[in-house]
Amino acid sequence: MVTLDEIVAARDRIRPIAKVTPLLDASTLSGRPLWLKCESLQPGGAFKIRGAYNMVAQLSDDQRRRGVITYSSGNHGQAVAIAAAALGAPAVVVMPTTAPAIKVEGAKKFGAEVIFAGTTSLHRRARAEEEAAARDLTMVPPFDHEWIIAGQGTLGLEILEQKPDVATILAPIGGGGLVSGVSAAVKQSRADVQVIGIEPAGADGMRRSIAAGHVLTHETSKSIADGLMAVRPGDLNFAHVRRFVDRIDTVEDREIAAAVRWLYERAQIVAEPSGAATVAAAIRPTSNYAAPVVAI
């Protein structure tokens, strides 16, 4: 398990590039005690810079000189490109053939070479591993690594500092890096705070894996939340979720789409579907999370 000390060290390490993002009080808008952690304001538009920079910053000078590679549907790829550029390392990003053009251009804008491979995370990973071996590049995985988890965990520390009376934290789950880090930070600091993972109903690999007692690989996943469609949770992430996360809830695509619209119309926040999944869970009429609630 990633320790609290490792997460605290990561916070100091990423300070040159990662922002302490604001916590927006959306209670009046939602009619319940709800705060939104606005990670869309990070470089690259997502929380991913926390883990990516924390890892690239710990590589040796020789590893950075040779370059780094990752596989990503978009946000992690952009984060690795940003971190690599800041630390003087060439970067390669393997993206799905279905990657949104805006995310492809984002990675290229920050200097990364983009390669396309398949439509699932397993396709991307296989191609990235081939390229890493052939070109002597260092892999920066999107979620299944202790340095990535520790970097994402810095978000949990910020929430506890910004909202000391928080009762529930909702974290989205794709491969599990964010929820692993946040839950590790929170539960090792404040065991009384609930951490609940949120997955799309059509891409609930972590929920199914926890129910089965071991990591499952699914042939396909389907959701409008492209950043939450990993077909296999990370092994380290599975272990962290099993130990630190209270439970996993799912949301339907129609609820995610409604949350994207709600954020735009009510909170003046432009969010991609992956970033709206937790809000979808928080604002639905049947929501009964212990308040105050923070949605990441």
Side-chain angles (χ1 to χ4, degrees):
M1 297 297 109
V2 170
T3 67
L4 186 59
D5 286 345
E6 289 171 323
I7 297 170
V8 171
R11 180 169 59 177
D12 291 336
R13 193 174 293 115
I14 70 175
R15 205 179 299 276
I17 196 165
K19 299 178 181 179
V20 177
T21 53
L23 200 61
L24 175 66
D25 185 354
S27 303
T28 301
L29 302 177
S30 62
R32 63 194 72 188
L34 174 64
W35 279 255
L36 310 177
K37 184 64 168 157
C38 300
E39 284 293 284
S40 58
L41 299 178
Q42 289 289 4
F47 68 88
K48 293 285 191 175
I49 190 63
R50 297 173 182 269
Y53 192 90
N54 187 52
M55 181 161 186
V56 177
Q58 293 185 79
L59 299 179
S60 68
D61 290 342
D62 182 60
Q63 286 174 311
R64 287 198 293 267
R65 178 187 58 77
R66 287 186 279 110
V68 297
I69 187 167
T70 192
Y71 49 99
S72 165
S73 63
N75 288 336
H76 178 68
Q78 290 184 83
V80 170
I82 294 168
L87 294 163
V92 179
V93 181
V94 181
M95 288 187 167
T97 56
T98 54
I102 190 171
K103 294 186 178 182
V104 175
E105 292 307 312
K108 289 181 178 179
K109 178 180 69 176
F110 295 114
E113 174 190 347
V114 175
I115 298 172
F116 297 99
T119 58
T120 73
S121 56
L122 296 183
H123 294 148
R124 298 191 292 277
R125 178 175 179 175
R127 179 63 186 276
E129 289 173 344
E130 290 174 6
E131 293 288 333
R135 297 163 64 171
D136 201 19
L137 304 173
T138 298
M139 183 71 73
V140 182
F143 44 78
D144 200 9
H145 193 285
E146 60 268 28
W147 292 351
I148 299 294
I149 293 171
Q152 318 304 31
T154 61
L155 207 163
L157 298 181
E158 286 181 20
I159 291 172
L160 294 180
E161 292 169 355
Q162 292 172 313
K163 188 64 179 167
D165 63 339
V166 62
T168 304
I169 297 174
L170 306 181
I173 301 179
L178 176 63
V179 74
S180 296
V182 168
S183 62
V186 170
K187 290 297 187 178
Q188 293 179 92
S189 302
R190 288 269 310 281
D192 60 302
V193 177
Q194 280 203 323
V195 179
I196 297 175
I198 305 297
E199 285 186 304
D204 60 342
M206 185 69 81
R207 185 187 67 83
R208 293 188 185 187
S209 294
I210 293 297
H214 59 90
V215 176
L216 299 175
T217 300
H218 302 282
E219 290 186 9
T220 60
S221 59
K222 185 177 181 181
S223 175
I224 62 171
D226 67 288
L228 306 181
M229 288 174 56
V231 295
R232 185 183 191 280
D235 295 312
L236 270 176
N237 309 122
F238 173 80
H240 280 75
V241 169
R242 188 160 61 171
R243 178 168 177 180
F244 293 124
V245 173
D246 292 283
R247 75 171 191 265
I248 299 172
D249 291 346
T250 61
V251 287
E252 301 290 340
D253 274 4
R254 58 178 173 76
E255 294 178 303
I256 296 174
V260 170
R261 182 172 181 174
W262 184 89
L263 284 164
Y264 180 72
E265 293 181 345
R266 302 292 299 277
Q268 287 75 57
I269 293 174
V270 178
E272 63 178 298
S274 299
T278 56
V279 176
I283 65 174
R284 61 185 167 191
T286 57
S287 172
N288 61 352
Y289 300 117
V293 175
V294 171
I296 300 171

